[in-house]
Amino acid sequence: MASKRQIWVKDVPIGGGAPVAVQTMTKTETANLGATMEQIGKVAEAGADIVRVAVPRDKDVEALKTIVRDSPIPVIADIHFNHTLALKAIDAGAHCVRLNPGNIGGREKVAEVAERANAVGVPMRIGVNSGSLPKHLHELERSNPVEALVTAAVEFVEMMESLEFENFKVSIKSTNVPNTIAANRMLAEKIPYPLHLGITEAGTKWSGSLKSAVGLGTLLADGVGDTIRISLSTFHAEEEVKVAWEILKALHLRERGPVLIACPTCGRLQFDMDSVVAEIEQRLESYEDPIEVAVLGCAVNGIGEASHADFGITGAKNEGLIFAHGKPLRKVPQEQLVDTLFEEIDKSVDRGKVDVDATKAAEGAEWLAKIEEENAGELTPERIAQMEKEAAEAEGRDPITEPFLKPVKAKQVELDEEASPTAGRRFTRA
Ligand code: SF4
């Protein structure tokens, strides 16, 4: 369920059914205007809807004025411990202020910030982090960390409401993935405000992306979460944005740019797919259309598995095939596969349709049919999957929810102890 309330961070709606907004945070010293603006440019190009900058010093607030003016996307000022900086950030034109009411120095100070934000219509992100919960919740945190996080968040929400400030979104952050999932699910039931999702200190690009995909993906699949930030230990904030988009694209929540699908490869692979896939992925980054491109490691199965893709390639020893929407387009020498694929993609982007040369397509189809025929008996992963699907359908099973064969009654077997003295007996070695 999407949050009932919606807020706007400049021109980006958050919550209330708006598309899940992608945000990230710059890793530069905010006061270093050149470096910060360069990074904001990169994250905006990668698809960030909103960017957050740390504002720990007065010189960062000074820089914020220029950043807000020049940034192509809305800017959130990230403030901790110092409510004066929050007030100054609002005056500097920040499009949103992030603060944790628990570490800003008491209700009066939060009230001052809320009043200033209300006066100019600036929203806030209020949040709680595991590890910095109010003292009165420490005991609960030891016995039930999820409930402690949610209780703290609800208390802060009530505090903001009592200050007549309701223009906010809420975040609960934890390094623990199951706790993040459970806490956000529980919080979504209790409050109508938009939720910001993230896994704190998720880790390196590899492990952090996986943890985020599991944690945030689970919540988003349930309809919980209105804006996301992937926290990765990398200076390149645009990497966080790319991961966020992959999660949203995988869940079909948002569309942006091409989708690359590739077979996992196996012993039938007949070309250097690692480098081919990497090159295709990198070249696709410059395309904006949501083209689906498939890469198959061999032509043994034909192209049925990837017939939904807009374009694809499959290779054999010396040659490979370019296909589109399940139909062969042309066969080419293997070293020309990638360049020819992109030639075909470019032609279709320019003309708005796939260009089919009937002679070349027929040659490609013939080549493919020959390979399929030569390998008709091969039990490839795709054919095994197809056989399992057919068997399930024949038995009236759902291949997804009932993947296994129905149990059959075991036959009674007569043991021939002379032929095999240990048959049917368990024994242990001394
Ligand atoms: S059999 Fe399937 S998994 Fe193996 S290389 Fe061919 S397409 Fe890829």
Side-chain angles (χ1 to χ4, degrees):
M1 82 246 61
S3 70
K4 291 197 179 70
R5 299 278 185 105
Q6 186 172 75
I7 65 165
W8 288 77
V9 176
K10 197 183 174 196
D11 52 358
V12 177
I14 313 271
V20 177
V22 171
Q23 56 178 287
T24 186
M25 193 166 175
T26 51
K27 320 258 178 165
T28 54
E29 186 193 2
T30 302
N32 182 343
L33 267 176
T36 302
M37 287 312 300
E38 188 186 340
Q39 194 156 70
I40 290 179
K42 283 187 184 164
V43 302
E45 199 173 313
D49 298 303
I50 301 170
V51 66
R52 183 156 44 110
V53 298
V55 183
R57 297 162 290 246
D58 275 332
K59 62 179 181 176
D60 300 310
V61 182
E62 260 324 292
L64 193 59
K65 293 176 191 162
T66 312
I67 294 169
V68 166
R69 188 193 66 205
D70 294 347
S71 170
I73 49 178
V75 180
I76 302 178
D78 189 85
I79 313 278
H80 285 283
F81 306 113
N82 187 334
H83 89 296
T84 312
L85 283 173
L87 296 171
K88 288 180 181 171
I90 295 170
D91 293 343
H95 302 117
C96 177
V97 172
R98 179 264 175 111
L99 56 82
N100 289 357
N103 71 22
I104 213 78
R107 181 185 163 90
E108 289 69 33
K109 290 181 174 167
V110 177
E112 232 183 296
V113 180
E115 194 182 346
R116 184 82 54 97
N118 246 348
V120 289
V122 166
M124 276 198 238
R125 166 187 155 196
I126 60 167
V128 291
N129 281 355
S130 62
S132 62
L133 291 179
K135 270 201 193 88
H136 70 279
L137 293 173
H138 283 181
E139 206 178 314
L140 178 59
E141 189 181 15
R142 278 188 288 277
S143 60
N144 191 336
V146 169
E147 195 151 340
L149 278 167
V150 175
T151 305
V154 171
E155 285 178 2
F156 288 144
V157 166
E158 286 167 356
M159 182 205 285
M160 300 314 283
E161 287 175 339
S162 73
L163 296 170
E164 294 180 359
F165 186 86
E166 299 188 354
N167 188 13
F168 60 84
K169 56 194 166 112
V170 183
S171 68
I172 278 184
K173 302 290 285 298
S174 166
T175 51
N176 181 309
V177 174
N179 286 359
T180 303
I181 295 171
N184 278 287
R185 276 181 176 153
M186 200 187 282
L187 187 63
E189 297 279 340
K190 289 180 186 286
I191 63 166
Y193 299 95
L195 295 186
H196 166 113
L197 303 183
I199 305 287
T200 303
E201 295 147 17
T204 59
K205 191 176 165 191
W206 170 244
S207 63
S209 299
L210 284 171
K211 275 194 222 168
S212 302
V214 172
L216 273 50
T218 303
L219 287 163
L220 291 167
D222 281 357
V224 175
D226 304 285
T227 177
I228 59 171
R229 189 252 170 135
I230 309 298
S231 305
L232 300 179
S233 298
T234 166
F235 178 74
H236 303 283
E238 64 275 17
E239 298 298 324
E240 296 185 350
V241 178
K242 290 181 198 165
V243 174
W245 272 103
E246 285 307 315
I247 294 172
L248 295 178
K249 277 158 61 174
L251 289 167
H252 292 199
L253 287 173
R254 288 186 73 181
E255 244 185 19
R256 180 188 160 86
V259 175
L260 176 63
I261 52 176
C263 84
T265 82
C266 69
R268 296 165 190 88
L269 180 68
Q270 292 189 333
F271 64 104
D272 175 14
M273 197 159 128
D274 263 12
S275 55
V276 165
V277 171
E279 186 185 345
I280 293 175
E281 187 172 42
Q282 194 247 322
R283 286 173 70 165
L284 282 174
E285 280 181 13
S286 59
Y287 290 76
E288 284 179 1
D289 295 331
I291 321 158
E292 189 170 85
V293 177
V295 184
L296 301 177
C298 74
V300 168
N301 306 297
I303 49 183
E305 281 278 307
S307 56
H308 50 86
D310 296 303
F311 286 95
I313 60 170
T314 178
K317 267 205 187 72
N318 305 312
E319 292 176 307
L321 182 80
I322 314 287
F323 58 89
H325 303 292
K327 301 250 162 41
L329 278 186
R330 55 202 277 204
K331 75 176 164 71
V332 289
Q334 201 168 107
E335 62 280 7
Q336 291 171 20
L337 260 179
V338 179
D339 285 339
T340 317
L341 168 72
F342 279 92
E343 258 172 47
E344 294 294 343
I345 291 175
D346 290 343
K347 271 196 276 173
S348 88
V349 170
D350 287 348
R351 295 176 196 174
K353 67 179 179 64
V354 180
D355 210 15
V356 184
D357 176 322
T359 314
K360 288 181 178 161
E363 265 173 33
E366 199 183 316
W367 176 86
L368 186 65
K370 197 165 144 247
I371 292 181
E372 281 186 90
E373 197 185 314
E374 281 169 10
N375 297 281
E378 283 256 15
L379 278 181
T380 63
E382 293 79 4
R383 285 187 185 140
I384 292 170
Q386 182 60 26
M387 284 159 65
E388 282 169 353
K389 185 168 169 260
E390 283 165 10
E393 279 164 5
E395 284 195 7
R397 284 183 285 124
D398 179 329
I400 308 294
T401 56
E402 300 172 275
F404 303 109
L405 293 174
K406 284 183 176 150
V408 282
K409 213 170 166 236
K411 277 191 204 149
Q412 203 61 43
V413 179
E414 287 295 319
L415 297 177
D416 180 349
E417 295 210 7
E418 252 176 52
S420 174
T422 57
R425 294 180 190 165
R426 286 174 184 272
F427 61 95
T428 48
R429 284 200 183 126

Coordinates of all heavy atoms in Angstrom, one line a residue, residues 350-395:
D350 N 16.2 5.0 -34.8 CA 16.0 6.1 -35.7 C 14.7 6.0 -36.5 O 14.0 7.0 -36.7 CB 17.1 6.1 -36.8 CG 18.4 6.6 -36.2 OD1 18.4 7.1 -35.1 OD2 19.5 6.4 -36.9
R351 N 14.4 4.8 -36.9 CA 13.2 4.6 -37.8 C 11.9 4.2 -37.1 O 10.8 4.2 -37.7 CB 13.5 3.5 -38.8 CG 14.6 3.9 -39.8 CD 15.0 2.9 -40.7 NE 16.3 3.2 -41.3 CZ 16.9 2.4 -42.1 NH1 16.5 1.2 -42.4 NH2 18.1 2.8 -42.6
G352 N 12.1 3.9 -35.8 CA 10.9 3.6 -35.0 C 10.4 2.2 -35.3 O 9.3 1.8 -34.8
K353 N 11.1 1.4 -36.0 CA 10.7 0.0 -36.3 C 12.0 -0.8 -36.7 O 13.0 -0.2 -37.1 CB 9.7 -0.1 -37.4 CG 10.1 0.3 -38.8 CD 8.9 0.1 -39.7 CE 9.3 0.4 -41.1 NZ 10.2 -0.3 -41.9
V354 N 11.9 -2.1 -36.5 CA 13.0 -3.0 -36.8 C 13.0 -3.2 -38.4 O 12.0 -3.4 -39.0 CB 12.9 -4.4 -36.2 CG1 14.1 -5.2 -36.5 CG2 12.8 -4.2 -34.7
D355 N 14.3 -3.0 -38.9 CA 14.4 -3.1 -40.3 C 14.8 -4.6 -40.7 O 15.8 -5.1 -40.2 CB 15.7 -2.2 -40.7 CG 15.6 -1.6 -42.0 OD1 14.5 -1.7 -42.6 OD2 16.6 -1.1 -42.5
V356 N 14.0 -5.3 -41.5 CA 14.3 -6.7 -41.8 C 14.6 -6.8 -43.2 O 13.9 -6.5 -44.1 CB 13.0 -7.6 -41.4 CG1 13.4 -9.1 -41.7 CG2 12.6 -7.4 -40.0
D357 N 15.9 -7.4 -43.4 CA 16.3 -7.7 -44.8 C 15.9 -9.2 -45.0 O 16.5 -10.1 -44.4 CB 17.8 -7.5 -44.9 CG 18.3 -7.9 -46.3 OD1 17.9 -8.9 -46.8 OD2 19.2 -7.2 -46.8
A358 N 14.9 -9.5 -45.9 CA 14.4 -10.8 -46.0 C 15.4 -11.9 -46.3 O 15.4 -13.0 -45.7 CB 13.2 -10.8 -47.0
T359 N 16.4 -11.5 -47.2 CA 17.4 -12.5 -47.6 C 18.3 -12.9 -46.4 O 18.5 -14.0 -46.1 CB 18.3 -12.0 -48.7 OG1 17.4 -11.4 -49.7 CG2 19.1 -13.0 -49.3
K360 N 18.7 -11.8 -45.7 CA 19.6 -12.0 -44.5 C 18.9 -12.8 -43.4 O 19.4 -13.6 -42.7 CB 20.2 -10.7 -44.0 CG 21.2 -10.1 -45.0 CD 21.8 -8.9 -44.4 CE 22.9 -8.3 -45.4 NZ 23.1 -6.9 -45.1
A361 N 17.6 -12.4 -43.2 CA 16.8 -13.1 -42.2 C 16.7 -14.6 -42.5 O 16.8 -15.4 -41.6 CB 15.5 -12.4 -42.1
A362 N 16.4 -14.9 -43.8 CA 16.3 -16.3 -44.2 C 17.6 -17.1 -43.9 O 17.6 -18.2 -43.5 CB 15.8 -16.4 -45.6
E363 N 18.7 -16.4 -44.3 CA 20.0 -17.1 -44.0 C 20.2 -17.4 -42.6 O 20.7 -18.4 -42.2 CB 21.1 -16.1 -44.5 CG 21.6 -16.3 -45.9 CD 22.6 -15.2 -46.2 OE1 23.3 -14.7 -45.3 OE2 22.6 -14.8 -47.4
G364 N 19.9 -16.4 -41.8 CA 20.0 -16.5 -40.3 C 19.1 -17.6 -39.8 O 19.5 -18.5 -39.0
A365 N 17.9 -17.7 -40.3 CA 16.9 -18.7 -39.8 C 17.4 -20.1 -40.2 O 17.3 -21.1 -39.4 CB 15.6 -18.5 -40.4
E366 N 18.0 -20.2 -41.4 CA 18.5 -21.5 -41.9 C 19.7 -21.9 -41.0 O 19.8 -23.1 -40.5 CB 19.0 -21.3 -43.3 CG 19.2 -22.6 -44.1 CD 19.7 -22.3 -45.5 OE1 19.2 -21.4 -46.1 OE2 20.6 -23.0 -45.9
W367 N 20.6 -21.0 -40.7 CA 21.8 -21.3 -39.8 C 21.3 -21.8 -38.4 O 21.8 -22.8 -37.9 CB 22.6 -20.0 -39.7 CG 23.8 -20.1 -38.8 CD1 25.0 -20.5 -39.1 CD2 23.8 -19.6 -37.4 NE1 25.8 -20.4 -38.0 CE2 25.1 -19.9 -37.0 CE3 22.8 -19.1 -36.5 CZ2 25.5 -19.6 -35.6 CZ3 23.2 -18.8 -35.2 CH2 24.6 -19.1 -34.8
L368 N 20.3 -21.1 -37.9 CA 19.8 -21.4 -36.6 C 19.1 -22.8 -36.6 O 19.3 -23.6 -35.7 CB 18.8 -20.4 -36.1 CG 18.2 -20.5 -34.7 CD1 19.4 -20.3 -33.7 CD2 17.1 -19.5 -34.5
A369 N 18.3 -23.1 -37.6 CA 17.6 -24.4 -37.7 C 18.6 -25.5 -37.7 O 18.4 -26.5 -37.1 CB 16.7 -24.4 -38.9
K370 N 19.8 -25.3 -38.5 CA 20.8 -26.3 -38.6 C 21.4 -26.6 -37.2 O 21.5 -27.8 -36.8 CB 21.9 -25.8 -39.6 CG 22.7 -26.9 -40.1 CD 23.5 -26.5 -41.3 CE 24.9 -27.1 -41.3 NZ 26.0 -26.2 -41.1
I371 N 21.7 -25.6 -36.5 CA 22.3 -25.8 -35.1 C 21.3 -26.5 -34.2 O 21.6 -27.4 -33.5 CB 22.8 -24.4 -34.5 CG1 23.9 -23.9 -35.4 CG2 23.2 -24.6 -33.1 CD1 24.5 -22.6 -34.9
E372 N 20.0 -26.0 -34.3 CA 19.0 -26.7 -33.4 C 18.9 -28.1 -33.7 O 18.8 -29.0 -32.9 CB 17.7 -26.0 -33.6 CG 17.5 -24.6 -32.9 CD 16.1 -24.1 -33.0 OE1 15.3 -24.4 -32.2 OE2 15.9 -23.4 -34.0
E373 N 18.9 -28.5 -35.0 CA 18.8 -29.8 -35.5 C 19.9 -30.7 -35.0 O 19.8 -31.8 -34.4 CB 18.7 -29.9 -37.0 CG 18.1 -31.2 -37.5 CD 18.2 -31.2 -39.1 OE1 17.8 -30.1 -39.7 OE2 18.6 -32.2 -39.6
E374 N 21.2 -30.1 -35.2 CA 22.4 -30.9 -34.7 C 22.4 -31.2 -33.2 O 23.0 -32.1 -32.8 CB 23.6 -30.0 -35.1 CG 24.0 -30.1 -36.5 CD 25.1 -29.1 -36.9 OE1 25.6 -28.4 -36.0 OE2 25.3 -28.9 -38.1
N375 N 21.7 -30.3 -32.5 CA 21.7 -30.4 -31.0 C 20.4 -30.8 -30.4 O 20.1 -30.5 -29.2 CB 22.2 -29.1 -30.4 CG 23.6 -28.8 -30.9 OD1 24.6 -29.3 -30.3 ND2 23.8 -27.9 -31.9
A376 N 19.6 -31.4 -31.3 CA 18.2 -31.7 -30.8 C 18.1 -32.5 -29.5 O 17.2 -32.4 -28.7 CB 17.4 -32.4 -31.9
G377 N 19.1 -33.4 -29.3 CA 19.0 -34.3 -28.2 C 19.7 -33.7 -26.9 O 19.6 -34.3 -25.8
E378 N 20.3 -32.5 -27.0 CA 21.0 -31.9 -25.8 C 20.0 -31.5 -24.7 O 19.0 -30.9 -25.0 CB 21.7 -30.7 -26.3 CG 22.9 -30.9 -27.1 CD 24.2 -30.7 -26.2 OE1 24.0 -30.6 -25.0 OE2 25.2 -30.6 -26.8
L379 N 20.3 -31.9 -23.5 CA 19.5 -31.5 -22.4 C 20.1 -30.2 -21.8 O 20.8 -30.2 -20.9 CB 19.4 -32.6 -21.3 CG 18.4 -33.7 -21.6 CD1 18.5 -34.7 -20.5 CD2 17.0 -33.2 -21.8
T380 N 19.7 -29.1 -22.4 CA 20.1 -27.8 -21.9 C 19.3 -27.4 -20.7 O 18.2 -27.9 -20.5 CB 20.0 -26.8 -23.0 OG1 18.6 -26.6 -23.3 CG2 20.8 -27.2 -24.2
P381 N 19.8 -26.4 -19.9 CA 18.9 -25.9 -18.8 C 17.6 -25.5 -19.3 O 16.6 -25.7 -18.6 CB 19.7 -24.8 -18.3 CG 21.2 -25.0 -18.7 CD 21.1 -25.8 -20.0
E382 N 17.5 -24.8 -20.4 CA 16.3 -24.3 -20.9 C 15.3 -25.5 -21.3 O 14.1 -25.4 -21.0 CB 16.5 -23.4 -22.2 CG 17.2 -22.1 -21.9 CD 18.8 -22.3 -21.7 OE1 19.3 -23.4 -21.9 OE2 19.4 -21.3 -21.4
R383 N 15.9 -26.5 -21.9 CA 15.0 -27.7 -22.3 C 14.5 -28.4 -21.1 O 13.4 -28.9 -21.0 CB 15.8 -28.6 -23.3 CG 15.9 -28.0 -24.7 CD 16.4 -28.9 -25.7 NE 16.6 -28.2 -26.9 CZ 17.7 -28.4 -27.7 NH1 18.6 -29.2 -27.4 NH2 17.8 -27.7 -28.9
I384 N 15.4 -28.5 -20.1 CA 15.0 -29.2 -18.9 C 13.8 -28.4 -18.2 O 12.8 -29.0 -17.8 CB 16.2 -29.4 -17.9 CG1 17.2 -30.4 -18.5 CG2 15.7 -29.9 -16.5 CD1 18.5 -30.4 -17.8
A385 N 14.0 -27.1 -18.2 CA 12.9 -26.3 -17.6 C 11.6 -26.5 -18.4 O 10.5 -26.6 -17.8 CB 13.3 -24.8 -17.6
Q386 N 11.7 -26.5 -19.7 CA 10.5 -26.7 -20.6 C 9.9 -28.1 -20.3 O 8.7 -28.2 -20.2 CB 10.9 -26.6 -22.0 CG 9.8 -26.7 -23.0 CD 8.7 -25.6 -22.8 OE1 9.0 -24.5 -22.3 NE2 7.5 -25.9 -23.2
M387 N 10.8 -29.1 -20.1 CA 10.2 -30.4 -19.9 C 9.5 -30.5 -18.5 O 8.5 -31.1 -18.4 CB 11.4 -31.5 -19.9 CG 11.9 -31.8 -21.3 SD 13.5 -32.5 -21.3 CE 13.3 -34.0 -20.5
E388 N 10.1 -29.8 -17.5 CA 9.5 -29.8 -16.2 C 8.1 -29.1 -16.3 O 7.2 -29.5 -15.7 CB 10.4 -29.1 -15.2 CG 11.6 -30.0 -14.8 CD 12.6 -29.3 -14.0 OE1 12.6 -28.0 -13.9 OE2 13.5 -30.0 -13.5
K389 N 8.1 -28.0 -17.1 CA 6.9 -27.3 -17.2 C 5.8 -28.2 -17.8 O 4.7 -28.3 -17.4 CB 7.1 -26.0 -18.0 CG 5.9 -25.1 -18.2 CD 6.4 -23.8 -18.8 CE 5.2 -22.9 -19.1 NZ 4.9 -23.0 -20.5
E390 N 6.2 -28.9 -18.9 CA 5.2 -29.7 -19.6 C 4.7 -30.9 -18.7 O 3.6 -31.2 -18.7 CB 5.8 -30.3 -20.9 CG 5.9 -29.2 -22.0 CD 6.8 -29.6 -23.2 OE1 7.3 -30.8 -23.2 OE2 7.1 -28.7 -24.0
A391 N 5.7 -31.4 -17.9 CA 5.3 -32.5 -17.0 C 4.3 -32.0 -16.0 O 3.3 -32.7 -15.7 CB 6.6 -33.1 -16.3
A392 N 4.6 -30.8 -15.5 CA 3.7 -30.3 -14.4 C 2.3 -30.0 -15.0 O 1.3 -30.4 -14.4 CB 4.3 -29.0 -13.9
E393 N 2.3 -29.5 -16.2 CA 1.0 -29.2 -16.9 C 0.2 -30.5 -17.1 O -1.0 -30.6 -16.9 CB 1.2 -28.5 -18.2 CG 1.4 -27.0 -17.9 CD 2.0 -26.2 -19.1 OE1 2.1 -26.8 -20.2 OE2 2.3 -25.0 -18.9
A394 N 1.0 -31.6 -17.5 CA 0.3 -32.9 -17.8 C -0.3 -33.4 -16.5 O -1.3 -34.1 -16.5 CB 1.3 -33.8 -18.4
E395 N 0.4 -33.2 -15.4 CA -0.1 -33.7 -14.1 C -1.1 -32.8 -13.4 O -1.5 -33.0 -12.3 CB 1.1 -33.9 -13.1 CG 1.9 -35.1 -13.4 CD 2.8 -35.4 -12.3 OE1 2.7 -34.8 -11.2 OE2 3.7 -36.3 -12.4

